[in-house]
Amino acid sequence: MQRIINEPGFVVEDMLKGFAKCHKNMIHVDPQNPRVVVSNFCKNKKKVGVVTGGGSGHKPAFIGYCGKNMVDAVAVGEIFSSPTAKSFYDAICAADQGQGVACLYGNYAGDNMNVKMAMELAEDAGIAVKTVVANDDVASAPKSESEKRRGVAGEIFMWKVGGAKANQGASLDEVIRAAQKAIDNTRSIGVGLGPCTIPANKRPNFSITPGTMEFGIGHHGEPGIRVEKLASAKEIAKAMTKLVIEDVPFVKGAELAVLVSGLGATPVMEQYIFFNEVEELLREQGLSLYASYVGNYFTSLEMNGITLTVMKLDDELKECLDEEVETMGMTQLRRS
Amino acid sequence: MQRIINEPGFVVEDMLKGFAKCHKNMIHVDPQNPRVVVSNFCKNKKKVGVVTGGGSGHKPAFIGYCGKNMVDAVAVGEIFSSPTAKSFYDAICAADQGQGVACLYGNYAGDNMNVKMAMELAEDAGIAVKTVVANDDVASAPKSESEKRRGVAGEIFMWKVGGAKANQGASLDEVIRAAQKAIDNTRSIGVGLGPCTIPANKRPNFSITPGTMEFGIGHHGEPGIRVEKLASAKEIAKAMTKLVIEDVPFVKGAELAVLVSGLGATPVMEQYIFFNEVEELLREQGLSLYASYVGNYFTSLEMNGITLTVMKLDDELKECLDEEVETMGMTQLRRS
C-alpha cells in the first residue's frame, strides 16, 4: 500500500495534530486527554451535550461531525478500534453543562462496553447520560434481530438530529427521543469493490476478487450477505434501494433524506452516477427526496465501495435537517 | 478497475444528472446546453458573472464550485478533456447580466483555444469577457516560463476570490484584478503514488511503480519533475513546501492560506498527517496560516496522491476568503 504517513503506529496521533491545527476555529483537543476532540461552540449556550466516539479511519466520521450544532465532543479510538472508556467519559465531561449528555454512537461490542463503563463513571460524577445506539446497517442481521445490527453512515443523521434538537434547547429526554426516532427511521446498506489495509498491517483485512463485489459489506470489511458479479450502477442501486426501502418500510408519498457515501477510494463521480439511479428508483415508487447528500461522508480508509442510507422524515426531522451546521464533514447554511 | 458506473461512454452525462438532482437547491443545468451548469444564485443581484470550465474527473472541480458567491456558470468537458467553445460561450451567456463576465480557468491548450473562440462569439453578442488563466503548478515549467505552467488546485482560490469580489459589487476590471492577484500569489505542487484510469479505457494513462512516487505530477498524470523513492509524510511535505515557498517567494511574517487536496484515493487521514507536517515547516519559517483547507478539493478520478497549494495573503484576499460561500465543494459560513 502506497501511503503518505510517518510511523504506522502514530497515524491517529499525527492525524489528530493536523486536524486540530486545520480546524482550530471549530474544535480543540481536550487538554486533559489527547484522544478527545471538543467543539469550540460546545458551551456557547446552556444546552444538553451531544457526544459520540468510535474507531479512526472513517473520516469525516467521527471527529468531522464535531462543531456547531452537531456533536459537542468525540472520543477517538485507534484505527477501526473503540475509544477507551476513559475517553468516552472525558468526552462526556467536556460536553456536560449540567443539563445531561446524549451519547449517540454505533452498535459495536467494544463501543458498547466502553460506553457502559463511561456511564458508570459519569453516574459517580453526577452527570446524567442517556444513549442511542445506531443500528442502521440492514445487512448485519435480519430485521427480527435488529438489535444486533451495526451502526454505519446512518449515524450522521442521528448526530444531525440530536445536535439540532439540543441546539433548539430540548431536554435530554427530548434529544434522546428525537435521535432514537432518527435512527429508527434510518436504514443503510453498503457494497465493497476493493479492500483497505490498516496502516500498521502489511496486508488488507479481507480480499475482494476483481470482477466481483461484496454486497452488504461492513465498515471494517465485515462480511456481507453475498459475493456477486460486479454489476452496473443501475443494478447495484436497484438491489440496494430495494433492501433499505422494504426494511423501513416506506409507503407511497413518504418524504425522505438520502445519503450516499463513498468508502474512501470511490471517485465522487461514481457516487453521483449511483445517486442518479437511486433517485429514479425512489421516484418511481412515489417517494420524494427532501434532502440529498452525496460524498465521502463516512469512509473506511481507502476501501472502494459505496453506502446508501435513507431516513423517513416527518416535520420534526425535517426541521432538524434544515438547521445550520458547521463541521468539517458537513457545513450547511440554514435552509429556509 | 472496479467501478460503479453504467456505460463508460456516458459517465459524464450520468454524473451530471445525479449532480443536478442532488444540488437542485443550488444549481441547475442550462436548459439550452446539457454541458453547462448554472448557479441558482446567479441572478439574485446585479453583478459581474464568474465563469469557469474544464474536463470532468476532478470533482469537486469544476461544477462543485458553482453556487452562492463563487462560480456562476461552468462549462463541462468529457473526462480530462476541455469543454467545447460553445459550452464556454453558453456558460458566459448564462452568467451575463450586462456587467461583463470574468472567465477564470486553467492553462491547458484545449481550454485556451475554446475560451478564445467563446470570447469571439461573446464579442459578437456584445458581452464583455475578460479572463484570468491559472498557472499555479510550479512543477510544470520553470519560473522564467511561468506562462507555460498549468493551472491546478490553486484555481479554487482564484474562484473564491473572484466570486467574492463579484458578490461585493466590484466591476469586471476589479474582479479580474483581484482574481489575477489571487493566482499570482498562489503556487501548487503535487505528488502521485498511484495512477488513475479513464473509465472508457482499459488501462491507466500512466504507471507508478510501487515503492516510488512521481514528484510534481499533473492533474491528468502529466509527468512530474522526478520519480523517487516513496518517502515519509514529513520528507514529502518538506520537499513540496520548499518548492512552493521559494517560488513565490514568501518572506518571514507573511500570512497565507493553505489548501491540501487528495487526488482521489488518498484517505483524508493521510491528508491531515501531511498537513500537520506542512504547518510545522511553515511555522518554523515564520509564516502564519490564516486559513487552511484539507480534503478532496480537486481530484483526478481515483489517483492516489496529494497536492499542496499556498496563497500569499493581503487584506483584500483575506476579506474575499472570509466571504460566505455555498457550493458542493466548499460551504462556509461568513467568518467574522
Side-chain angles (χ1 to χ4, degrees):
Chain A
M1 186 57 209
Q2 300 266 90
R3 291 197 186 283
I4 300 174
I5 59 171
N6 296 309
E7 288 304 311
F10 286 82
V11 288
V12 175
E13 191 152 325
D14 288 352
M15 173 273 289
L16 279 171
K17 282 184 197 162
F19 189 85
K21 286 173 184 174
C22 184
H23 302 292
K24 60 177 184 279
N25 298 329
M26 210 181 277
I27 57 92
H28 60 276
V29 171
D30 188 329
Q32 309 302 317
N33 183 337
R35 292 304 167 96
V36 172
V37 170
V38 183
S39 164
N40 296 349
F41 305 94
C42 181
K43 297 190 174 170
N44 277 8
K45 59 159 113 173
K46 270 274 188 209
K47 64 173 201 65
V48 168
V50 175
V51 161
T52 194
S56 293
H58 300 295
K59 200 148 283 71
F62 295 80
I63 55 175
Y65 297 105
C66 188
K68 190 176 180 183
N69 297 353
M70 211 157 166
V71 175
D72 293 308
V74 179
V76 180
E78 285 301 306
I79 301 285
F80 292 1
S81 298
S82 172
T84 63
K86 176 69 164 59
S87 292
F88 272 114
Y89 173 64
D90 288 341
I92 288 167
C93 293
D96 179 55
Q97 296 191 75
Q99 325 253 311
V101 172
C103 184
L104 314 176
Y105 71 101
N107 190 25
Y108 294 91
D111 297 304
N112 284 325
M113 180 185 76
N114 287 308
V115 168
K116 190 163 173 256
M117 286 195 283
M119 286 176 74
E120 290 167 6
L121 295 171
E123 198 183 344
D124 292 346
I127 304 173
V129 181
K130 296 192 175 184
T131 62
V132 177
V133 187
N135 59 341
D136 52 306
D137 183 356
V138 298
S140 50
K143 191 169 179 170
S144 55
E145 300 172 59
S146 64
E147 76 287 352
K148 291 188 186 163
R149 287 178 171 174
R150 296 182 293 258
V152 285
E155 296 183 34
I156 298 165
F157 286 147
M158 172 178 71
W159 299 324
K160 181 80 181 76
V161 168
K165 210 70 197 169
N167 185 55
Q168 289 161 12
S171 69
L172 178 57
D173 282 340
E174 287 170 330
V175 171
I176 290 292
R177 180 195 50 72
Q180 185 70 57
K181 177 166 75 177
I183 205 71
D184 285 348
N185 284 10
T186 297
R187 299 294 186 279
S188 298
I189 176 81
V191 292
L193 279 70
C196 60
T197 302
I198 294 179
N201 296 354
K202 288 246 158 33
R203 257 175 281 255
N205 293 17
F206 58 101
S207 66
I208 294 173
T209 311
T212 72
M213 62 180 176
E214 176 116 16
F215 191 85
I217 199 164
H219 266 178
H220 313 91
E222 294 94 335
I225 300 169
R226 58 183 184 265
V227 173
E228 54 187 37
K229 200 167 162 258
L230 179 56
S232 69
K234 190 185 277 296
E235 287 160 33
I236 298 172
K238 201 169 173 182
M240 290 173 79
T241 304
K242 187 174 189 303
L243 213 63
V244 292
I245 291 304
E246 291 180 355
D247 199 275
V248 178
F250 282 87
V251 295
K252 211 173 160 161
E255 284 184 292
L256 59 163
V258 170
L259 186 145
V260 168
S261 178
L263 283 173
T266 295
V268 179
M269 181 178 74
E270 297 179 28
Q271 300 171 32
Y272 281 108
I273 291 172
F274 172 80
F275 171 77
N276 181 48
E277 301 296 341
V278 169
E279 191 273 350
E280 220 163 287
L281 291 161
L282 295 174
R283 196 156 31 84
E284 280 169 19
Q285 300 194 36
L287 303 171
S288 73
L289 268 61
Y290 179 78
S292 308
Y293 303 85
V294 178
N296 291 317
Y297 282 99
F298 203 128
T299 64
S300 300
L301 294 168
E302 72 284 358
M303 205 191 289
N304 185 355
I306 209 161
T307 62
L308 170 64
T309 298
V310 295
M311 175 165 68
K312 191 167 73 172
L313 297 177
D314 62 14
D315 288 344
E316 181 183 40
L317 294 175
K318 286 198 276 186
E319 167 72 22
C320 289
L321 284 187
D322 289 349
E323 192 78 56
E324 179 176 289
V325 65
E326 190 181 12
T327 67
M328 169 256 169
M330 182 184 287
T331 293
Q332 129 189 334
L333 311 184
R334 171 145 192 95
R335 286 208 279 187
S336 49
Chain B
M1 186 56 209
Q2 300 267 90
R3 291 195 186 284
I4 300 174
I5 58 171
N6 296 309
E7 288 304 312
F10 287 80
V11 288
V12 174
E13 192 151 326
D14 289 351
M15 173 273 290
L16 279 172
K17 282 183 196 161
F19 189 85
K21 287 174 184 174
C22 184
H23 302 291
K24 59 177 184 279
N25 297 329
M26 211 181 275
I27 57 93
H28 60 277
V29 171
D30 188 330
Q32 310 301 319
N33 184 337
R35 294 304 167 96
V36 172
V37 169
V38 183
S39 166
N40 297 349
F41 305 94
C42 180
K43 296 190 174 171
N44 277 9
K45 58 158 113 174
K46 271 274 188 210
K47 63 173 203 65
V48 169
V50 176
V51 161
T52 193
S56 294
H58 301 295
K59 200 148 281 71
F62 296 81
I63 56 176
Y65 298 106
C66 188
K68 189 176 181 184
N69 296 353
M70 212 157 166
V71 175
D72 293 309
V74 179
V76 180
E78 285 301 305
I79 301 283
F80 293 181
S81 297
S82 173
T84 63
K86 176 72 164 61
S87 292
F88 271 114
Y89 172 64
D90 288 341
I92 288 166
C93 292
D96 179 53
Q97 295 190 74
Q99 324 255 311
V101 172
C103 184
L104 314 177
Y105 71 100
N107 190 25
Y108 295 91
D111 297 304
N112 284 325
M113 181 185 75
N114 288 308
V115 168
K116 190 164 173 256
M117 287 194 283
M119 286 175 74
E120 289 167 8
L121 296 170
E123 196 182 346
D124 292 346
I127 303 173
V129 181
K130 296 194 174 183
T131 61
V132 178
V133 187
N135 60 342
D136 51 306
D137 183 355
V138 298
S140 50
K143 191 168 182 173
S144 56
E145 300 172 60
S146 64
E147 77 287 351
K148 292 189 186 164
R149 287 178 172 175
R150 297 183 293 257
V152 284
E155 295 182 36
I156 298 165
F157 285 148
M158 172 178 70
W159 299 323
K160 180 80 182 76
V161 168
K165 209 70 198 169
N167 185 55
Q168 289 161 11
S171 69
L172 178 56
D173 282 340
E174 286 171 331
V175 171
I176 291 290
R177 180 195 48 74
Q180 185 70 58
K181 178 166 73 177
I183 206 69
D184 286 346
N185 285 8
T186 296
R187 299 293 186 280
S188 297
I189 176 82
V191 293
L193 278 69
C196 60
T197 303
I198 294 178
N201 296 354
K202 288 246 160 30
R203 255 176 282 255
N205 293 17
F206 58 99
S207 66
I208 293 173
T209 310
T212 71
M213 62 181 177
E214 178 116 15
F215 192 84
I217 200 163
H219 266 178
H220 313 91
E222 295 93 336
I225 300 169
R226 57 184 185 265
V227 173
E228 53 186 38
K229 200 164 163 259
L230 179 56
S232 68
K234 189 185 277 295
E235 286 161 34
I236 298 172
K238 200 170 172 181
M240 290 173 78
T241 305
K242 186 174 190 301
L243 213 63
V244 291
I245 292 303
E246 290 180 356
D247 199 274
V248 178
F250 281 89
V251 294
K252 208 172 163 165
E255 283 185 292
L256 60 163
V258 170
L259 186 145
V260 168
S261 178
L263 282 172
T266 295
V268 179
M269 180 178 74
E270 297 179 27
Q271 300 171 31
Y272 281 108
I273 291 172
F274 173 78
F275 170 76
N276 181 49
E277 301 296 339
V278 169
E279 191 273 351
E280 220 164 286
L281 291 160
L282 295 174
R283 195 156 31 84
E284 280 170 16
Q285 298 193 37
L287 303 171
S288 72
L289 269 61
Y290 180 78
S292 307
Y293 303 85
V294 177
N296 291 316
Y297 283 98
F298 203 128
T299 65
S300 299
L301 295 168
E302 72 286 358
M303 203 190 293
N304 184 356
I306 209 161
T307 61
L308 170 65
T309 298
V310 294
M311 175 165 70
K312 190 167 73 174
L313 298 176
D314 61 15
D315 288 344
E316 181 182 40
L317 295 174
K318 286 198 276 185
E319 168 72 22
C320 290
L321 284 188
D322 289 349
E323 192 79 55
E324 180 176 287
V325 65
E326 190 180 13
T327 66
M328 169 257 171
M330 182 186 288
T331 294
Q332 131 189 332
L333 311 184
R334 173 141 192 98
R335 285 208 280 187
S336 51

